[in-house]
Amino acid sequence: MAISATHLFLVSFITLSLFLVISKAESESELVADLLALQSESKSGVIHLDDRTVSKFLTSPKTPRPFSFIIFFDATQLHDKSELHLRELRNEFALVASSFITNNNSSNTKLFFCDIEFRESQSSFHLFGVNSLPHIRLVGPTAKSLKDDSEQMDQGDFSRMAESMAEFIESRTKLTVGPIHRPPILSKKQLALIAALLLIWSPFVAKKIFAGQTLLHDPKIWLSGAVFVYFFSVSGAMHNIIRKMPMFLVDRNDPNKLVFFYQGSGMQLGAEGFAVGFLYTIVGLLLAFVTHVLVYVKDATAKRVAMLVAIFVSFWAVKKVIFLDNWKTGYGVHGFWPSSWN
Amino acid sequence: MAAPEASSAAVPTLMTNNTLRNAFGGVLSFFILLLIGVLAFSIRLFSVIKYESVIHEFDPYFNYRVTQFLTKNGIYEFWNWFDDRTWYPLGRVIGGTVYPGLTLTAGTIWWLLNSLNIPLSVETVCVFTAPIFSAFASWATYLLTKEVKGAGAGLTAAVLLAMVPSYISRSVAGSYDNEAVAIFALIFTFYLYIKTLNTGSLFYATLNSIAYFYMVCSWGGYTFIINLIPMHVLLCIVTGRYSSRLYIAYAPLVVLGTLLAALVPVVGFNAVMTSEHFASFLVFIIIHVVALVYYIKGILSPKMFKVAVTLVISAGLAVCCAVIAVLIALVASSPTKGWSGRSLSLLDPTYASKYIPIIASVSEHQPPTWPSYFMDINVLAFLVPAGIIACFLPLSDASSFVVLYIATSVYFSGVMVRLMLVLAPAACITSGIALSQAFDVFTRSIKFQLPGLSSNTEVDAGETSSATKEAQNDAVKTEKAEETSKDRPSRKSKKKEREHVEKPSTKTKAEKKRLLALPLEASVISLLLLVFLGAFYVVHCVWAAAEAYSAPSIVLTSHSHDGLHVFDDFREAYAWLRHNTDVDDKVASWWDYGYQTTAMANRTVIVDNNTWNNTHIATVGTAMSSPEKAAWEIFHSLDVKYILVVFGGLVGYPSDDINKFLWMVRIGGGVFPHIKEPDYLRDGQYRIDSQATPTMLNCLMYKLSYYRFVETDGKGFDRVRRTEIGKKYFKLTHFEEVFTTHHWMVRIYKLKPQKNRIRGKTKKSKSKTSSTSSSKRSERGLFRHGNVFGGKEAQNQFCISSILGLVPCATTGPPKRQI
């Protein structure tokens, strides 16, 4: 009994270990096949991971794994925070992924691009020890602990978008990403179409111009355009575009309160800029209205009322801007009066 | 105002009366202009009164030094000047790399004064060049606005420009920089363009080209002119305002102007080869095509013209297409599409922030927020829209130019705060027009409705004559509007005609004006409010001139409870260098202080504010970021004997070297990869306290700044970073302190002599550091970049003036992405 028992144990052990080896090889190739399938499913070639797939592809297979992962940590609820640039980085990441796949003819199964979303897979975030975004991490084949053995991409490495991400990958994995294929803004067909349209259109335009009947001959268009450009510029809208400033902030102390005006002269919020730009512009418009339009009005009372309204509004606007400026910048503008006056 | 003797209202008396009034007005205008000139000059003297007659800031010191050379050696030597005092051991060709306008202007003034036996020093002339040219600029504004909307608007615009803060910031006494003369040149060129456009005279067209030449000599901003004028010409053509006057105003400017511009060495062939100038050539072709069309229209019958027009249009289009194709090919063949980074960032405002961080980091290149407009053009911001509308009623060639000028400049100023300077004249012109017209309407309303005067015959005469004047002005405007299609006969005959035509209509015009009045009391209130608005502007401008923009930044002052403190450490240090070092000694410092060291200490520097050679700057940056020994080797290889560092920790001067240090690391690391920015940051934070990284605490900049600092207060509390320093007690092995100024703001160290036994090692590591890898280099070296904490910003200067008050300034680390 004892022998047979030992025998049985031995046999079973051998079988088991044999099975394990085979299954390991099989499971490895299966995993890669799974990954390839997932990759081909997604448009850009970025595999979407969740807690289940993380354990399937990363935590359960033994090291060394036959592949590396580069993972983009995403959070949908932070997409509207423009200062994080999450959405742009995600797009750039996808660009690197698709370029990598096309450049390597999808034959390369060493590196997979993945993303993972915070809401869906909070435990994976824990697993990686990720508590700040944007975050991109490279998990090499030998990484045992996801938190400590994987490499984090520095902020400097994704500052220059797709190109620097590719540089990072090339330097760490010894794989070549190759040139980044950015989609052209206009396809060639569209360009040709536009050129053709322009060519056909140009004689008509020329004729109209010589006849003097275009929209451009209407000074009102130019007038409103000029005033709009003025309003747009003095409201600091360029600042808001370049810095991607939000229209307003939520008060930190009281989430129900919105902050429309930011104290400190180096920065402004969107709504704030437009409000003051409006105040800047309205005074001039009223003055022009009074001096150029109101004088032609016949009715004396109407004139009087309109003027008083204009005076009141202008006075209020100027006062408001002066007040806001003092509040925002903290400059104490003062006159230089003779000292005997004080 | 009214002349009571002329009550008979006979036509001849009226005429003489009128001329008398005109003459009186002319004399009055002259004296007003004189006073405006005095105002423009004197409001800029605050810096001299509050401080002293010194050259300000950094770049002016270079200009001053060049001017000194020019006055000493003459113009030919100046063109061929190779400066070996800077960029050691490379040197710099000065004659071919500066815009010579400012230097030549000041040199000429000095020479003129000296030949008149007025022995002023070169420095005095340089200090007062900017205020003098501000007076010229306000006169030029008068001329320009007068061409557009008459003398009243001209005077108002001139007085506004005389004290607009934006312009004051660049032209206080001592601010001896290119912009000082360039703004005058800009306005004057525009005036001559408008004058040519109004008169069609070739004489003014030639003057215009010469003024443009002066502008090209003075400032890189001339590209604004050479793009704005073509835009206006194109606008005129497109809106059907083509006339032979337009042709005369434009074609000579392009031909002569481009030829003259190519004469300036620093521009040279750029005048025909860069994209900034292509717009003018394109419009040049278009205007010829259009001129041909109009010519053919003139000589052919309408029927024949219809046949011809198809022919000409097709031929013209073909030529245009060919030229455009050539241009596009030319542009596309160059890597940056022929545009410099700065121009591109104007066209696509997000360009710089995306691709050229070094441009985006400069405080002058930031997009302004709304308070900047209130600070720099103040109440003009309210008046400009009214001026724009006034320009459209009626729209003439000249007023359309003003509209285009304000629209483009306000857009550009929205992208870069430094272009506020270009906006300022446009804002003054439009506001001047708006104010003048508003005063016109309100005073007229009051005058016609004052009780007890309306039935008086005496006033009638005055009214009539003033109405005549206004009617004439109106006529001029309508005439200009009508004139677009036909050629203009000579000016004199036109004037006579006008007088004949208008006399009968004056009476009815006066009646009409009476009806166009506004309610009396409302007019009075409006007038008062406008006067108050103007008064507020004056108060603000005087305050800005006195408090915000007058600090020379070479001498600093601060008010505290125990009185005024003066920090004259910079000049103390430069004087020490001048008197205590050998004339051929080389002094190393960060590039900000290069111009000042060469100009004031007369010693050779390694890098200066010209920043043309990025590798060289990176070498100095690397040395400053290296440990003492490696730094010593780098400096020794450059033949450096003294090192100068600026340290604000004792008095709280925020723009010192420690605050600029990250730029040294970044620039150094861009060329020498062994310098890595993260090594100097603790968790992405730039700090110098006990949490600082060892690399930071051991780098040369830290050591030279904080050497013996703990001896001052026993704790080593840095008043800029507002923290105790990390490493307090250490000794220097390769450097020795030779001089520290009174407030410790400048510290000078000497390299210790070489020791025999470390010689072998020196060679080894030298070869390591000098191996440059320039693969990662961007366009960095081409662009001026200031320190992280702002250059010539009003805000920064407030910080400086609040030294000792320990007001929190912009001393946080560089912008980091928030996580």
Side-chain angles (χ1 to χ4, degrees):
Chain A
M1 267 312 265
I3 295 170
S4 75
T6 330
H7 186 78
L8 195 70
F9 177 73
L10 208 67
V11 168
S12 67
F13 179 77
I14 291 169
T15 338
L16 195 70
S17 56
L18 201 69
F19 175 74
L20 268 179
V21 168
I22 293 167
S23 79
K24 194 191 173 199
E26 253 177 25
S27 71
E28 265 183 8
S29 59
E30 253 171 42
L31 280 180
V32 171
D34 279 358
L35 281 170
L36 278 176
L38 281 173
Q39 190 181 59
S40 57
E41 263 172 37
S42 100
K43 213 179 192 179
S44 56
V46 178
I47 300 165
H48 188 75
L49 292 180
D50 50 29
D51 289 342
R52 194 182 53 80
T53 38
V54 164
S55 71
K56 179 180 170 192
F57 293 120
L58 284 173
T59 34
S60 10
K62 283 196 180 127
T63 50
R65 290 180 286 263
F67 43 75
S68 318
F69 269 18
I70 178 143
I71 304 171
F72 182 87
F73 292 83
D74 202 358
T76 344
Q77 77 261 36
L78 293 177
H79 274 194
D80 52 339
K81 293 228 159 141
S82 57
E83 71 271 17
L84 293 181
H85 307 285
L86 269 185
R87 216 175 286 187
E88 293 139 55
L89 287 170
R90 173 70 179 75
N91 290 340
E92 294 293 311
F93 186 74
L95 211 60
V96 181
S98 56
S99 307
F100 177 78
I101 293 162
T102 40
N103 287 338
N104 292 295
N105 283 331
S106 56
S107 61
N108 195 314
T109 54
K110 293 259 169 59
L111 178 67
F112 291 98
F113 290 79
C114 313
D115 70 346
I116 189 163
E117 212 282 326
F118 180 69
R119 280 266 168 84
E120 295 172 7
S121 352
Q122 297 196 3
S123 61
S124 305
F125 268 65
H126 261 290
L127 210 60
F128 283 98
V130 173
N131 47 23
S132 67
L133 290 181
H135 194 111
I136 299 173
R137 200 167 261 269
L138 178 77
V139 185
T142 52
K144 279 206 183 88
S145 152
L146 291 181
K147 193 175 177 180
D148 302 324
D149 298 342
S150 58
E151 280 185 274
Q152 186 196 341
M153 194 184 281
D154 275 342
Q155 300 222 337
D157 283 321
F158 48 74
S159 62
R160 282 187 302 116
M161 308 317 236
E163 282 75 10
S164 55
M165 290 187 199
E167 267 172 35
F168 170 82
I169 294 166
E170 285 182 358
S171 68
R172 302 298 151 95
T173 59
K174 312 283 183 292
L175 295 170
T176 46
V177 177
I180 304 289
H181 303 287
R182 284 182 189 276
I185 301 164
L186 289 170
S187 69
K188 275 188 183 168
K189 271 186 193 167
Q190 279 170 319
L191 269 182
L193 195 72
I194 287 169
L197 278 179
L198 273 181
L199 268 182
I200 297 166
W201 190 46
S202 54
F204 294 101
V205 172
K207 200 184 164 194
K208 279 230 161 179
I209 287 172
F210 283 111
Q213 316 168 314
T214 54
L215 217 56
L216 297 176
H217 288 74
D218 187 358
K220 280 192 195 104
I221 305 274
W222 291 100
L223 174 62
S224 35
V227 173
F228 176 74
V229 168
Y230 180 77
F231 161 74
F232 186 76
S233 302
V234 290
S235 66
M238 290 321 288
H239 172 271
N240 296 338
I241 292 173
I242 293 171
R243 295 284 164 74
K244 302 198 175 71
M245 295 306 290
M247 288 307 270
F248 49 80
L249 292 175
V250 178
D251 199 337
R252 271 191 203 168
N253 306 324
D254 180 7
N256 295 325
K257 245 170 78 181
L258 297 178
V259 177
F260 287 100
F261 283 83
Y262 181 89
Q263 197 165 11
S265 61
M267 205 175 103
Q268 71 171 30
L269 299 172
E272 171 189 359
F274 287 123
V276 179
F278 172 74
L279 293 181
Y280 277 150
T281 318
I282 190 75
V283 178
L285 291 180
L286 283 175
L287 186 63
F289 170 73
V290 168
T291 48
H292 295 292
V293 180
L294 207 59
V295 285
Y296 294 106
V297 174
K298 294 253 163 64
D299 186 5
T301 359
K303 269 187 191 178
R304 192 159 283 136
V305 170
M307 264 196 90
L308 288 176
V309 169
I311 288 171
F312 179 75
V313 172
S314 309
F315 185 76
W316 173 79
V318 173
K319 219 180 129 213
K320 199 80 197 157
V321 170
I322 293 173
F323 165 75
L324 281 172
D325 182 65
N326 277 341
W327 171 79
K328 193 173 172 73
T329 58
Y331 297 160
V333 180
H334 58 83
F336 289 82
W337 312 115
S339 44
S340 60
W341 288 16
N342 292 326
Chain B
M1 278 288 279
E5 282 80 15
S7 55
S8 58
V11 175
T13 338
L14 194 80
M15 288 253 314
T16 42
N17 189 16
N18 204 16
T19 32
L20 199 70
R21 284 170 62 93
N22 279 345
F24 182 66
V27 172
L28 202 63
S29 304
F30 175 77
F31 280 106
I32 292 173
L33 279 176
L34 211 62
L35 285 176
I36 289 173
V38 172
L39 170 70
F41 182 82
S42 52
I43 201 172
R44 287 164 169 83
L45 298 186
F46 275 108
S47 58
V48 173
I49 293 163
K50 287 184 73 178
Y51 298 88
E52 60 186 290
S53 175
V54 282
I55 310 270
H56 289 197
E57 307 239 320
F58 305 105
D59 287 20
Y61 271 96
F62 170 74
N63 296 327
Y64 168 52
R65 186 161 158 261
V66 176
T67 315
Q68 269 183 322
F69 185 90
L70 173 73
T71 50
K72 208 180 280 173
N73 298 304
I75 180 103
Y76 292 105
E77 287 292 314
F78 164 66
W79 286 125
N80 295 325
W81 184 21
F82 178 81
D83 184 11
D84 58 357
R85 288 259 150 208
T86 177
W87 290 98
Y88 182 83
L90 305 167
R92 176 186 171 192
V93 182
I94 300 280
T97 55
V98 290
Y99 285 100
L102 176 75
T103 328
L104 291 179
T105 307
T108 314
I109 294 174
W110 179 84
W111 174 82
L112 207 69
L113 288 173
N114 267 277
S115 44
L116 292 173
N117 286 329
I118 304 174
L120 287 182
S121 71
V122 179
E123 189 183 1
T124 314
V125 173
C126 290
V127 166
F128 292 103
T129 300
I132 290 172
F133 270 80
S134 315
F136 291 169
S138 44
W139 294 335
T141 311
Y142 164 74
L143 293 172
L144 173 56
T145 320
K146 191 182 162 209
E147 280 301 310
V148 180
K149 283 283 172 184
L155 288 173
T156 324
V159 75
L160 292 178
L161 186 103
M163 49 187 174
V164 65
S166 170
Y167 185 30
I168 286 180
S169 74
R170 293 315 189 100
S171 62
V172 292
S175 181
Y176 180 55
D177 212 345
N178 288 334
E179 289 94 333
V181 297
I183 293 301
F184 158 71
L186 181 89
I187 303 171
F188 198 61
T189 312
F190 285 155
Y191 157 65
L192 285 169
Y193 171 69
I194 295 295
K195 186 80 184 173
T196 325
L197 201 56
N198 281 346
T199 58
S201 139
L202 259 180
F203 170 69
Y204 284 113
T206 318
L207 281 187
N208 189 18
S209 309
I210 293 170
Y212 173 66
F213 174 58
Y214 184 65
M215 177 70 192
V216 177
C217 280
S218 308
W219 197 33
Y222 75 90
T223 45
F224 181 65
I225 296 184
I226 205 61
N227 282 303
L228 186 67
I229 290 181
M231 269 169 75
H232 179 244
V233 171
L234 200 63
L235 187 82
C236 285
I237 291 173
V238 168
T239 52
R241 293 180 155 270
Y242 172 80
S243 65
S244 57
R245 287 172 293 114
L246 187 70
Y247 183 84
I248 291 170
Y250 186 63
L253 175 71
V254 170
V255 177
L256 270 179
T258 307
L259 283 176
L260 287 170
L263 288 180
V264 183
V266 67
V267 177
F269 277 103
N270 283 347
V272 284
M273 287 174 70
T274 53
S275 295
E276 277 94 342
H277 304 80
F278 284 167
S280 63
F281 302 135
L282 193 66
V283 174
F284 187 66
I285 294 163
I286 292 173
I287 200 173
H288 276 94
V289 173
V290 173
L292 193 67
V293 171
Y294 274 87
Y295 175 70
I296 291 169
K297 199 176 182 178
I299 58 169
L300 289 182
S301 63
K303 204 178 170 190
M304 284 283 280
F305 177 70
K306 278 219 159 178
V307 185
V309 87
T310 26
L311 207 87
V312 171
I313 284 180
S314 45
L317 272 182
V319 171
C320 274
C321 286
V323 172
I324 290 171
V326 169
L327 282 184
I328 288 175
L330 267 178
V331 170
S333 63
S334 81
T336 55
K337 305 282 175 260
W339 291 84
S340 65
R342 259 187 259 199
S343 314
L344 269 180
S345 60
L346 280 183
L347 299 178
D348 172 15
T350 51
Y351 176 83
S353 59
K354 267 191 234 153
Y355 302 106
I356 320 173
I358 209 104
I359 286 193
S361 69
V362 181
S363 66
E364 274 189 337
H365 295 167
Q366 301 304 322
T369 51
W370 68 263
S372 313
Y373 284 94
F374 199 70
M375 178 71 198
D376 275 356
I377 57 173
N378 199 243
V379 303
L380 305 188
F382 295 114
L383 298 171
V384 169
I388 294 175
I389 292 171
C391 283
F392 277 93
L393 302 167
L395 191 67
S396 66
D397 290 350
S399 65
S400 69
F401 180 76
V402 170
V403 171
L404 194 68
Y405 179 24
I406 185 89
T408 46
S409 62
V410 82
Y411 168 75
F412 287 153
S413 75
V415 179
M416 264 188 207
V417 70
R418 69 180 286 183
L419 292 175
M420 202 76 95
L421 190 61
V422 180
L423 166 70
C428 291
I429 291 165
T430 41
S431 310
I433 293 169
L435 263 188
S436 150
Q437 294 211 338
F439 276 131
D440 204 30
V441 169
F442 293 140
T443 47
R444 189 177 66 211
S445 308
I446 293 169
K447 189 168 147 193
F448 282 126
Q449 293 178 57
L450 272 185
L453 282 182
S454 50
S455 56
N456 201 328
T457 44
E458 285 180 13
V459 182
D460 250 335
E463 262 168 40
T464 325
S465 58
S466 77
T468 319
K469 205 180 164 194
E470 272 167 16
Q472 273 187 8
N473 279 349
D474 279 355
V476 174
K477 282 165 203 161
T478 43
E479 204 187 327
K480 272 176 194 164
E482 283 164 11
E483 237 174 5
T484 47
S485 55
K486 58 186 178 188
D487 271 358
R488 187 191 176 90
S490 83
R491 211 172 159 74
K492 276 180 192 165
S493 62
K494 220 123 237 164
K495 230 175 205 170
K496 275 180 203 159
E497 260 174 48
R498 193 192 297 154
E499 274 163 18
H500 284 299
V501 176
E502 273 141 23
K503 246 172 264 159
S505 69
T506 45
K507 275 277 173 193
T508 49
K509 280 247 175 184
E511 287 295 316
K512 217 171 125 194
K513 290 273 171 196
R514 189 192 294 271
L515 290 176
L516 292 185
L518 293 167
L520 178 66
E521 65 287 345
S523 303
V524 173
I525 297 171
S526 311
L527 204 59
L528 278 178
L529 285 178
L530 276 184
V531 170
F532 276 131
L533 198 69
F536 180 77
Y537 178 70
V538 174
V539 168
H540 177 90
C541 293
V542 172
W543 171 81
E547 300 284 331
Y549 293 133
S550 279
S553 95
I554 188 98
V555 187
L556 309 163
T557 59
S558 90
H559 292 273
S560 67
H561 51 89
D562 53 340
L564 179 79
H565 292 262
V566 178
F567 303 96
D568 204 1
D569 289 37
F570 287 106
R571 288 191 296 182
E572 190 186 347
Y574 295 131
W576 186 89
L577 277 176
R578 188 187 258 287
H579 292 294
N580 296 286
T581 59
D582 192 65
V583 85
D584 283 328
D585 282 345
K586 279 85 189 167
V587 180
S589 65
W590 190 234
W591 59 258
D592 292 19
Y593 312 102
Y595 278 164
Q596 291 181 347
T597 312
T598 39
M600 282 194 273
N602 192 27
R603 292 294 172 266
T604 309
V605 294
I606 307 298
V607 289
D608 69 21
N609 311 45
N610 186 237
T611 63
W612 63 272
N613 186 328
N614 191 40
T615 317
H616 223 50
I617 294 183
T619 311
V620 175
T622 306
M624 294 294 192
S625 338
S626 304
E628 221 180 310
K629 194 172 152 200
W632 185 90
E633 278 155 6
I634 294 174
F635 280 135
H636 187 72
S637 73
L638 284 169
D639 238 0
V640 170
K641 210 154 178 195
Y642 294 94
I643 304 193
L644 179 151
V645 292
V646 173
F647 171 63
L650 185 73
V651 288
Y653 170 61
S655 39
D656 65 350
D657 277 347
I658 291 285
N659 271 356
K660 293 171 185 172
F661 181 61
L662 274 189
W663 280 113
M664 305 185 199
V665 173
R666 267 173 221 158
I667 292 171
V671 177
F672 303 101
H674 69 276
I675 302 289
K676 295 188 193 71
E677 190 180 336
D679 293 347
Y680 298 85
L681 304 174
R682 173 75 71 192
D683 301 327
Q685 289 246 310
Y686 177 59
R687 50 202 311 171
I688 45 95
D689 54 9
S690 48
Q691 295 294 307
T693 59
T695 326
M696 178 71 213
L697 294 179
N698 282 315
C699 72
L700 183 71
M701 180 48 75
Y702 181 91
K703 285 193 166 177
L704 296 192
S705 290
Y706 292 117
Y707 179 61
R708 292 198 306 113
F709 180 53
V710 71
E711 292 168 25
T712 53
D713 59 353
K715 284 189 300 187
F717 184 81
D718 186 323
R719 304 179 83 160
V720 174
R721 269 66 57 175
R722 297 163 73 81
T723 173
E724 270 182 41
I725 61 171
K727 198 170 163 184
K728 294 175 184 174
Y729 304 95
F730 54 86
K731 281 195 172 137
L732 294 176
T733 52
H734 292 73
F735 298 87
E736 58 181 323
E737 185 187 6
V738 285
F739 185 67
T740 294
T741 56
H742 184 223
H743 300 97
W744 285 52
M745 279 170 61
V746 184
R747 313 194 65 184
I748 300 170
Y749 293 85
K750 192 179 184 181
L751 270 76
K752 279 186 182 166
Q754 200 168 15
K755 283 175 193 160
N756 282 336
R757 55 197 167 87
I758 58 164
R759 212 169 171 181
K761 283 181 190 171
T762 317
K763 268 185 188 164
K764 202 174 126 200
S765 52
K766 205 192 289 176
S767 63
K768 192 176 81 190
T769 48
S770 60
S771 65
T772 57
S773 79
S774 52
S775 60
K776 259 192 159 181
R777 278 188 48 199
S778 56
E779 289 172 90
R780 225 168 250 182
L782 301 175
F783 305 109
R784 185 69 56 78
H785 56 88
N787 56 64
V788 193
F789 308 96
K792 189 167 179 155
E793 278 279 69
Q795 193 197 350
N796 192 19
Q797 296 187 352
F798 285 113
C799 286
I800 298 167
S801 64
S802 64
I803 298 169
L804 287 183
L806 283 179
V807 174
C809 300
T811 52
T812 48
K816 279 271 137 199
R817 196 175 280 127
Q818 187 63 50
I819 301 173

